[in-house]
């Protein structure tokens, strides 16, 4: 009797373990009599099994010492059978002196389905749950699957989701499992608040974080969807923002989230302790390595005395110093920055301490999670490999490069112990994401009219890290197509090879009288000289052709300052042949350089060029601080029909002023010159308008053909110039009375600039020669020996002032400008309002 009671207690304990599963809808019954403890496992009788073999069930009962079953063996066997999840019911009792195990098997899942899911596809849900078709039904597992499905929806911002699993009985011990899902509305972030911020307004800090407040246009994005991981990442973004701007003691104490049932959304509050703002008091270098002078690292420091303390610049300084030390042969040297604060003067004394670190080597680099991207695409972002000295700065740089590829949702590089104390294993954990894009873009501008574009692109083509894009544009005045291909590692070197093939057609409109067709091909090489400095070298080969609308190609005799004789005069003076040349090209409907270009047919331009770019902007899309400088030069004449040297300079400097105001200074300049006695075409000249001084039409300023149009007070085609300069100052300000998520801000600005010095053809002789010395242009009373160009060219400074509205809309960046010219030339064309923008959807 004592033995039987002891067994019963053991069985009940096992049952309690089973019922500890979060939710179970079917119990396991256990009934036990007093078995003979000396039975062997082979003597156990099994009843009720249909799919599971009897020997498989017996195998869960392990004999004790001597090969006989004891009470512990029976208890362990019962627990093991229950934990398999194969059975609805397990009973152990004694019959005829034998141990009998009676089981009721769980049914088999025949069909697995999801109902009510619209936002998440069946394939994604099936991959996340454990229940599978043709698998055994386990009710605790089903309940766990329901919880997992609900968690997936919560991650996508739907916290009111409800998941009801339904089990439908079928013949032959089979069931259909259906998860009925009520998705509910998207649960957004209704408000974002900041507590403790004094140096920066809440409006400014909302620019720093990724989480957004819900608004009328939130359905076009997911930034307002509550995501606890994103909120936690925002804490780090805020902290790094303050550290970058001198607040060395900053702490983002907490990110509090609260669900508001009335507003059906989350309220997020960031608690900040800013501390004092520090400047750099001194920068010194210490070296514990006898053969190394610490001051030799000074040129690699990005921290300057007197500047605001910047933790980001400090990190980059350490990284560049450690890389330089590795190049000099100090593979294990480490640079440790130390900051000594002076609380009274609010300064930080920076000390870079260089020490000999532990001699640790990289045993292996393991890449985990790349299901599509080839291993070599990931490994080539490392400047170190197996067998090299372990260098944390180089590992951090590789992690940053992998994130910048934009192939992965998450990138994390961790270390594990190697086979010995001086070996380490790098583990690269990745989670891939979609890298293909199909977009339909639409836009409108006052210069180009309506424009549509369809494009297909892939950033990680075939998993090889190659960028490929094909696009087609069609609009009122601009049409064409383009194909682009970029191999970021040419021959395994960190050199990007790009290939572009394009065709563009610009149609005649109210700003130009002619149409141009351009077919071009351009290979290019890109080099990253530093993180903030890049160089691109390119070759361009393109064919350009001018065409005229029929109404400008009819040789009508329109009255004007030139010689336009009547038919009677032509007949009386036998001028038919001469009129066929001079009259047609002198009738003023299209400029002389345009008609020369038309008569000359298509031109080929073959050029070599480069672009040097310096970029320290804090944000490419919405910069508030930093410098962007471009220097471009192109040398045409490597074959082709034209020869010129074209240089263009463009610099933009952004700085944050006070109370979220951002100042912008924009400088531009350019020069075009020819060599070898070659004639410059009009199309090779710079054409400027609102891109230089706002308030003017496209091609609205600079040298212009005035011809017959001078009689009516305006000019004809813009001829362009060989020199230009421009300067602009702008103040951008937010609309504090509007929600930040609307994305609107205003601007006031003043522009000044000039385009001058036309050096294209000015006359055309009867024999077809251009700019013939001593040629006499026709007048109203004489035929002359050539057609002459009557044009206006002055280096008058054009100026304007205006206001703008900048909208970072879900439809893409939009900008509206209204500018009033203050000074302008007699024949300049004004366009006070300008609008431009587009989107992808």
């Amino acid at each position: 009797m004592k033995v039987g009671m002891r067994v019963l207690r053991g069985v009940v304990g096992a049952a309690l373990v089973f019922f500890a599963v979060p939710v179970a809808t079917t119990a396991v019954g256990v009934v036990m009599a007093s078995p003979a403890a000396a039975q062997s496992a082979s003597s156990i009788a099994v009843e009720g099994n249909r799919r599971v073999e009897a020997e498989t069930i017996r195998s869960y009962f392990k004999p004790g010492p001597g090969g006989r079953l004891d009470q512990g063996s029976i208890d362990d066997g019962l627990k093991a059978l229950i934990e398999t999840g194969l059975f609805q019911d397990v009973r152990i009792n004694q019959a005829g002196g034998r141990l009998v195990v009676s089981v009721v098997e769980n049914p088999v899942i025949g069909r697995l389905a999801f109902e009510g899911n619209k936002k998440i596809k069946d394939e994604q849900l099936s991959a996340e749950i454990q229940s599978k078709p043709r698998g055994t039904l386990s009710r605790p597992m089903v309940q766990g699957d329901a919880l997992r499905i609900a968690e997936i929806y919560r991650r996508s911002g739907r916290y009111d989701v409800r998941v009801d699993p339904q089990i439908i009985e079928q013949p032959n011990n089979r069931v259909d499992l259906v998860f009925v899902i009520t998705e509910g509305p998207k649960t957004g972030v209704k408000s974002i608040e900041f507590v403790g911020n004094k140096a920066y307004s809440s409006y400014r800090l909302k620019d720093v974080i990724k989480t957004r407040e819900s608004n009328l246009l939130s359905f076009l994005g997911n930034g307002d969807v509550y995501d606890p991981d994103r909120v936690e990442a925002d804490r780090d973004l805020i902290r790094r923002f303050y550290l970058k701007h001198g607040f060395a003691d900053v702490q983002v104490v907490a990110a509090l989230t609260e669900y508001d049932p009335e507003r059906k959304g989350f309220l997020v509050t960031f608690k900040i302790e800013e501390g004092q703002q520090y400047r750099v008091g001194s920068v010194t270098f210490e070296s514990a390595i006898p053969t190394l002078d610490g001051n030799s690292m000074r040129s690699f420091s990005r921290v300057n005395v007197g500047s605001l303390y910047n933790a980001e610049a400090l990190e980059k300084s350490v990284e560049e110093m450690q890389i330089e030390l590795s190049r000099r042969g100090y593979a294990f040297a480490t640079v440790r920055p130390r900051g000594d604060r002076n609380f009274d003067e609010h300064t930080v004394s920076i000390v870079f301490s260089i020490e000999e670190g532990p001699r640790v080597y990289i045993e292996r680099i393991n890449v985990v999670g790349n299901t599509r991207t080839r291993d070599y695409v990931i490994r080539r972002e490392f400047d170190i490999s197996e067998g090299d000295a372990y260098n944390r700065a180089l590992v951090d740089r590789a992690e940053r490069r992998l994130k910048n590829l934009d192939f992965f949702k998450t990138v994390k590089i961790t270390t594990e112990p190697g086979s010995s104390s001086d070996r380490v294993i790098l583990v690269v954990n990745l989670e891939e994401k979609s890298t293909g894009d199909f977009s339909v873009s639409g836009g409108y501008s006052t210069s180009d009219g309506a424009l549509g574009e369809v494009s297909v692109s892939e950033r990680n083509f075939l998993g090889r890290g190659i960028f490929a894009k094909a696009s087609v544009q069609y609009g009122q005045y601009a049409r064409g197509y383009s194909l682009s291909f970029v191999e970021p590692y040419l021959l395994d070197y960190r050199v990007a090879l790009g290939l572009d093939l394009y065709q563009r057609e610009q149609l005649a409109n109210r700003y130009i009288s002619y149409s141009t067709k351009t077919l071009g091909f351009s290979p290019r090489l890109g080099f990253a000289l530093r993180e903030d400095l890049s160089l691109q070298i390119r070759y361009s080969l393109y064919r350009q052709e001018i065409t005229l609308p029929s109404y400008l190609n009819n040789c009508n005799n329109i009255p004007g300052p030139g010689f336009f004789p009547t038919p009677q005069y032509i007949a009386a003076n036998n001028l038919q042949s001469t009129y066929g040349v001079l009259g047609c090209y002198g009738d003023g409907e299209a400029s002389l350089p345009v008609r020369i270009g038309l008569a000359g047919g298509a031109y080929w331009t073959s050029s070599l060029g480069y672009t040097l770019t310096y970029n320290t902007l804090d944000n490419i899309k919405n910069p508030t601080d930093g410098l962007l400088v471009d220097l471009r030069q192109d040398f045409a004449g490597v074959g082709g029909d034209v020869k010129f040297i074209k240089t263009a300079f463009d610099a933009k400097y952004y700085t944050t002023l006070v109370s979220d105001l951002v100042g912008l200074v924009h400088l531009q300049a350019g020069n075009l010159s020819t060599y070898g006695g070659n004639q410059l075409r009009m199309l090779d000249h710079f054409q400027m308008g609102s891109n230089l001084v706002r308030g003017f039409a496209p091609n609205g300023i600079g040298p212009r053909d005035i011809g017959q149009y001078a009689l009516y007070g305006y000019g004809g085609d813009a001829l362009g110039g060989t020199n230009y300069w421009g300067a602009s100052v702008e103040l951008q300000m937010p609309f504090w009375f509007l929600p930040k998520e609307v994305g609107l801000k205003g601007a006031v600005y003043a522009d000044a600039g000039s385009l001058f010095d036309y050096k294209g053809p000015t006359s055309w002789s009867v024999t077809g020669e251009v700019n013939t010395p001593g040629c006499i242009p026709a007048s109203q009373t004489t035929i002359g020996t050539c057609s002459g160009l009557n044009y206006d060219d002055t280096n008058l400074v054009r100026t304007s002032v205006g206001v703008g509205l900048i909208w970072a809309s879900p439809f893409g960046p939009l900008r509206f400008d209204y500018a009033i010219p203050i000074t302008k030339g007699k024949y300049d064309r004004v366009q006070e309002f300008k609008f431009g923008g587009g989107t992808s959807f």
Side-chain angles (χ1 to χ4, degrees):
M1 186 64 182
K2 292 181 180 179
V3 174
M5 289 299 294
R6 186 166 58 253
V7 174
L8 184 58
R9 284 195 299 270
V11 171
V12 171
L16 288 174
V17 170
F18 175 75
F19 287 122
V21 175
V23 178
T25 56
T26 302
V28 177
V30 181
V31 177
M32 182 65 193
S34 301
Q39 296 184 59
S40 64
S42 60
S43 66
I44 297 175
V46 179
E47 297 178 350
N49 59 310
R50 302 176 63 181
R51 296 187 309 276
V52 183
E53 297 289 339
E55 282 302 320
T56 301
I57 295 174
R58 292 190 187 101
S59 67
Y60 285 91
F61 295 88
K62 307 297 183 182
R68 314 298 290 177
L69 289 174
D70 57 17
Q71 189 59 54
S73 301
I74 296 173
D75 288 349
D76 293 342
L78 175 62
K79 292 178 183 179
L81 282 176
I82 292 171
E83 290 171 356
T84 62
L86 297 173
F87 308 103
Q88 292 184 49
D89 191 11
V90 180
R91 298 176 182 272
I92 299 178
N93 45 63
Q94 182 182 4
R98 301 180 66 190
L99 193 67
V100 180
V101 180
S102 300
V103 298
V104 178
E105 294 179 347
N106 275 325
V108 174
I109 301 173
R111 182 175 70 95
L112 178 64
F114 304 92
E115 293 183 0
N117 56 312
K118 298 178 181 179
K119 302 300 180 181
I120 301 179
K121 295 182 180 180
D122 289 1
E123 293 78 9
Q124 183 178 349
L125 296 176
S126 298
E128 295 291 337
I129 64 175
Q130 297 184 24
S131 298
K132 303 295 181 184
R134 296 182 297 278
T136 302
L137 176 72
S138 170
R139 296 180 185 272
M141 184 186 296
V142 169
Q143 196 63 32
D145 289 340
L147 295 175
R148 270 188 289 275
I149 293 172
E151 180 61 25
I152 293 171
Y153 272 93
R154 291 191 181 100
R155 289 289 179 182
S156 64
R158 298 181 183 273
Y159 275 74
D160 291 334
V161 64
R162 180 179 174 184
V163 183
D164 296 315
Q166 295 183 0
I167 299 173
I168 304 171
E169 302 286 344
Q170 300 290 347
N172 299 321
N173 200 28
R174 289 181 173 271
V175 296
D176 291 342
L177 177 59
V178 180
F179 291 96
V180 180
I181 303 170
T182 305
E183 294 181 324
K186 184 172 68 173
T187 310
V189 175
K190 298 301 181 183
S191 75
I192 301 174
E193 302 292 338
F194 299 87
V195 177
N197 55 310
K198 298 176 183 177
Y200 297 97
S201 68
S202 297
Y203 197 95
R204 177 69 181 92
L205 293 178
K206 286 181 181 180
D207 267 341
V208 177
I209 62 177
K210 301 296 184 183
T211 305
R212 295 286 179 260
E213 290 179 353
S214 298
N215 58 71
L216 292 176
L217 299 176
S218 294
F219 69 93
L220 295 171
N222 62 355
D224 69 314
V225 175
Y226 173 70
D227 184 341
D229 292 338
R230 180 160 53 197
V231 171
E232 191 62 29
D234 286 340
R235 287 182 63 183
D236 186 59
L237 289 175
I238 296 170
R239 186 184 67 86
R240 293 183 68 85
F241 172 78
Y242 272 95
L243 288 173
K244 184 179 178 180
H245 292 85
F247 294 87
D249 301 325
V250 67
Q251 292 186 40
V252 184
V253 179
L256 306 177
T257 57
E258 179 184 0
Y259 182 76
D260 187 341
E262 294 183 0
R263 301 175 66 179
K264 293 185 178 180
F266 283 89
L267 313 180
V268 180
T269 304
F270 294 97
K271 298 184 68 175
I272 304 170
E273 293 181 2
E274 291 181 333
Q276 297 292 332
Q277 190 177 41
Y278 294 86
R279 290 189 173 273
V280 178
S282 63
V283 180
T284 57
F285 299 82
E286 298 177 352
S287 175
I289 303 175
T291 57
L292 177 68
D293 180 10
N295 287 315
S296 64
M297 293 290 106
R298 188 172 294 276
S299 61
F300 297 94
S301 172
R302 298 192 179 189
V303 182
N304 300 313
V305 175
S307 64
L308 283 176
Y309 172 80
N310 187 333
E312 184 177 296
L314 195 66
E315 291 174 359
K316 290 182 178 179
S317 299
V318 170
E319 179 180 296
E320 292 188 6
M321 289 179 194
Q322 291 204 184
I323 293 171
E324 178 61 21
L325 289 170
S326 296
R327 290 172 180 163
R328 295 186 185 184
Y330 302 96
F332 301 99
T334 59
V335 180
R336 303 185 189 279
R338 186 176 71 249
D340 300 325
R341 295 171 175 80
N342 186 321
F343 298 102
D344 295 329
E345 298 182 3
H346 298 158
T347 60
V348 179
S349 298
I350 305 297
V351 179
F352 291 100
S353 179
I354 306 171
E355 303 171 356
E356 185 70 41
R359 293 182 172 272
V360 179
Y361 297 88
I362 298 174
E363 180 175 324
R364 194 166 64 252
I365 299 177
N366 292 338
V367 182
V368 180
N370 57 318
T371 57
R372 182 168 177 266
T373 306
R374 309 293 179 93
D375 264 19
Y376 74 85
V377 174
I378 298 163
R379 292 177 181 273
R380 69 189 183 188
E381 298 299 330
F382 286 81
D383 291 325
I384 49 178
S385 59
E386 284 91 343
D388 289 346
Y390 173 74
N391 188 315
R392 187 66 219 179
L394 293 177
V395 173
D396 291 342
R397 171 181 279 193
E399 183 173 324
R400 187 167 62 253
R401 285 174 175 170
L402 288 172
K403 290 178 179 177
N404 291 339
L405 289 177
D406 199 25
F407 298 167
F408 313 103
K409 290 181 181 178
T410 58
V411 177
K412 186 66 177 177
I413 302 179
T414 58
T415 59
E416 293 180 356
S419 58
S420 61
S421 59
D422 63 344
R423 296 287 187 272
V424 67
I425 298 173
L426 296 183
V427 181
V428 186
N429 289 285
L430 308 166
E431 182 181 356
E432 296 202 278
K433 67 178 182 180
S434 175
T435 55
D437 293 301
F438 172 79
S439 68
V440 181
S441 305
Y444 180 84
S445 73
T446 46
S447 58
D448 294 330
L451 178 68
E453 178 181 1
V454 178
S455 67
V456 179
S457 65
E458 172 58 62
R459 300 191 305 276
N460 189 14
F461 187 62
L462 300 177
R464 299 176 182 271
I466 297 172
F467 173 83
K469 181 179 180 180
S471 64
V472 177
Q473 307 88 26
Y474 192 89
Q476 284 180 275
Y477 306 120
R479 299 165 188 175
Y481 66 85
S482 63
L483 301 172
S484 298
F485 171 91
V486 179
E487 166 55 72
Y489 280 80
L490 180 62
L491 302 176
D492 290 330
Y493 290 98
R494 202 176 295 277
V495 176
L497 169 66
L499 300 173
D500 297 301
L501 175 66
Y502 56 90
Q503 180 177 4
R504 292 194 297 265
E505 183 176 6
Q506 181 70 48
L507 303 181
N509 54 57
R510 58 177 174 157
Y511 303 112
I512 55 175
S513 66
Y514 54 92
S515 300
T516 58
K517 292 182 179 179
T518 305
L519 175 64
F521 169 73
S522 178
R524 48 196 162 85
L525 295 174
F527 306 84
L529 305 180
R530 294 190 329 195
E531 287 196 3
D532 55 3
L533 187 64
S534 61
L535 173 66
Q536 182 191 92
I537 299 175
R538 61 184 170 274
Y539 170 74
S540 298
L541 177 66
Y542 57 91
R543 176 182 184 272
Q544 265 185 321
E545 182 180 4
I546 292 180
T547 58
L548 280 173
S550 59
Y551 61 87
L552 294 183
N553 203 17
N554 52 19
C555 295
N556 286 341
N557 291 324
I558 299 176
F563 178 57
F564 304 105
T566 65
Q568 293 80 6
Y569 187 94
I570 293 172
N573 292 276
N574 192 26
L575 299 178
Q576 284 87 346
S577 60
T578 304
Y579 172 72
V581 176
L582 300 185
C584 187
Y585 290 105
D587 68 0
E589 289 185 279
S591 297
L592 180 144
V594 175
R595 291 198 175 267
I596 290 176
L598 178 67
Y603 285 79
W604 285 93
T605 300
S606 175
S607 68
L608 287 172
Y610 71 89
T611 299
L612 190 64
T613 302
Y614 177 72
N615 186 353
T616 62
L617 296 183
D618 59 344
N619 188 302
I620 297 297
K621 294 182 178 180
N622 185 26
T624 61
D625 187 71
L627 182 64
L628 176 62
V629 180
D630 274 336
L631 176 64
R632 299 171 57 92
Q633 274 197 309
D634 289 282
F635 304 87
V638 189
D641 301 317
V642 295
K643 295 181 179 181
F644 61 76
I645 302 174
K646 182 178 285 189
T647 305
F649 171 82
D650 190 289
K652 294 180 180 178
Y653 174 68
Y654 294 85
T655 183
T656 301
L657 303 175
V658 294
S659 188
D660 303 324
L661 300 180
V662 176
L664 165 63
V665 177
H666 186 191
L667 302 177
Q668 303 178 68
N671 172 263
L672 172 68
S673 59
T674 186
Y675 61 95
N678 236 46
Q679 174 71 53
L680 285 173
R681 297 184 307 151
M682 183 191 72
L683 290 182
D684 296 327
H685 285 62
F686 295 110
Q687 298 286 353
M688 293 291 172
S690 58
N691 55 339
L692 189 69
V693 182
R694 284 164 284 196
F696 291 89
N699 303 344
I701 65 175
R704 185 174 300 275
D705 175 19
I706 55 179
Q708 59 145 343
Y709 293 95
L711 297 177
Y712 307 103
Y714 59 90
D717 283 318
L719 304 177
T722 58
N723 292 284
Y724 75 88
W725 65 269
S728 173
V729 291
E730 180 170 304
L731 182 65
Q732 299 178 358
M733 66 206 76
F735 295 120
W736 294 278
F737 55 88
L738 292 176
K740 178 72 175 180
E741 285 65 31
V742 174
L744 278 173
K745 60 182 178 180
V748 294
Y749 50 82
D751 296 344
S754 182
L755 172 68
F756 53 95
D757 201 10
Y758 169 74
K759 291 185 179 179
T762 57
S763 63
W764 195 0
S765 73
V766 176
T767 60
E769 297 175 2
V770 178
N771 292 349
T772 303
C775 77
I776 303 172
S779 69
Q780 289 182 304
T781 57
T782 60
I783 300 174
T785 61
C786 64
S787 282
L789 176 67
N790 186 15
Y791 67 102
D792 176 66
D793 187 357
T794 175
N795 58 2
L796 173 72
V797 177
R798 281 81 169 178
T799 59
S800 69
V801 294
V803 295
L805 183 65
I806 306 167
W807 186 20
S809 77
F811 307 102
L814 302 177
R815 177 154 181 154
F816 307 81
D817 282 295
Y818 182 79
I820 300 175
I822 304 301
T823 59
K824 65 185 184 70
K826 181 178 180 181
Y827 302 105
D828 289 345
R829 294 189 179 182
V830 173
Q831 183 187 77
E832 295 179 342
F833 177 74
K834 181 184 178 183
F835 160 71
T839 186
S840 296
F841 49 88

